[in-house]
Amino acid sequence: MKKVPLLLILTRLLLGPIMISITYNAVNHVRTILVILISLGLLSDILDGIIARKHGVSSEKLRRMDSQTDLVFWLCVGWCSWMLNPEIIIGNKYVIGIIFFMEALTYVFSIAKFGKETCTHAFLSKLWGITLLIAFVSMIGFGYGGISLGLCILFGILGHLDVYLIIYFLPKWVHDVPSSYHAYLIKKGIPFKRNKWFNG
């Protein structure tokens, strides 16, 4: 069981290229297949952290791998959405561009301060992940952006602002920080209880 989290991460990493290949080759029922694979990808993301903590293998290396795999996975999902629904992406290109810019800045700020990329797995970032799922299922499965995409953009902006504050408050690099408030507590040396199900 101790290797299951790593296997889940690697599975999610492979799902990205597989989804792009399925989309490029216009496989029958491509939209339905993609929705299933995206859902499996998010499920694997939820389970890998829970299982890793339960079996005491939630290391820095594993958590960083998890974060970078998430980035690759969602970029692949976004690319599939672009291929299937270019009109939605083009119609929202400016706000989507803002999210990409904000994501890039998290790397710039974290590497400049700590010498490594951020790996917070913060609560708002998790909420953004859920809205990403809803938005992409809506676009890929039903060809609709609308409210679901708007919520995704909103939580994307809020989540990134929270990460900026986490980076600002942390005196040294730490992975799995629930929020900027908790980063402030870490800065002040104030202990807090971590939720074993939702942290990481």
Side-chain angles (χ1 to χ4, degrees):
M1 285 296 290
K2 290 185 177 182
K3 291 188 176 181
V4 170
L6 177 59
L7 292 175
L8 287 171
I9 292 171
L10 293 176
T11 298
R12 191 160 69 257
L13 185 62
L14 290 174
L15 280 178
I18 289 173
M19 288 187 294
I20 289 177
S21 177
I22 289 172
T23 306
Y24 264 116
N25 289 287
V27 176
N28 289 335
H29 308 294
V30 59
R31 291 181 181 268
T32 301
I33 294 172
L34 289 178
V35 167
I36 293 172
L37 294 180
I38 293 168
S39 301
L40 289 175
L42 183 64
L43 180 62
S44 75
D45 190 22
I46 294 170
L47 291 177
D48 66 40
I50 293 174
I51 295 173
R53 287 188 298 280
K54 183 177 180 181
H55 292 277
V57 294
S58 185
S59 64
E60 174 187 326
K61 182 178 180 180
L62 189 71
R63 302 309 290 147
R64 291 176 70 183
M65 183 184 297
D66 181 45
S67 287
Q68 299 312 304
T69 298
D70 287 346
L71 178 62
V72 173
F73 175 77
W74 288 116
L75 284 174
C76 290
V77 174
W79 187 257
C80 293
S81 184
W82 159 260
M83 288 189 288
L84 294 173
N85 307 281
E87 70 287 349
I88 297 177
I89 305 301
I90 292 173
N92 295 275
K93 60 184 177 183
Y94 295 114
V95 287
I96 292 174
I98 289 172
I99 295 296
F100 272 96
F101 180 71
M102 294 184 78
E103 177 70 17
L105 281 183
T106 64
Y107 284 81
V108 172
F109 293 156
S110 185
I111 292 173
K113 184 172 182 178
F114 305 119
K116 60 178 76 174
E117 81 286 352
T118 184
C119 183
T120 63
H121 294 98
F123 181 69
L124 278 176
S125 296
K126 292 179 184 298
L127 286 179
W128 182 40
I130 294 172
T131 60
L132 273 172
L133 172 68
I134 295 171
F136 281 125
V137 167
S138 178
M139 286 189 286
I140 292 175
F142 305 97
Y144 172 77
I147 295 174
S148 57
L149 181 57
L151 285 174
C152 177
I153 297 297
L154 174 62
F155 278 99
I157 292 173
L158 292 175
H160 281 91
L161 291 175
D162 187 50
V163 171
Y164 296 157
L165 288 173
I166 291 173
I167 295 170
Y168 173 75
F169 285 130
L170 285 179
K172 63 179 181 178
W173 190 92
V174 180
H175 63 85
D176 296 337
V177 182
S179 71
S180 53
Y181 169 70
H182 293 88
Y184 177 77
L185 294 180
I186 291 173
K187 179 181 179 180
K188 294 297 182 180
I190 302 172
F192 60 89
K193 186 176 181 180
R194 294 177 179 270
N195 188 303
K196 66 178 181 178
W197 298 110
F198 296 102
N199 182 54

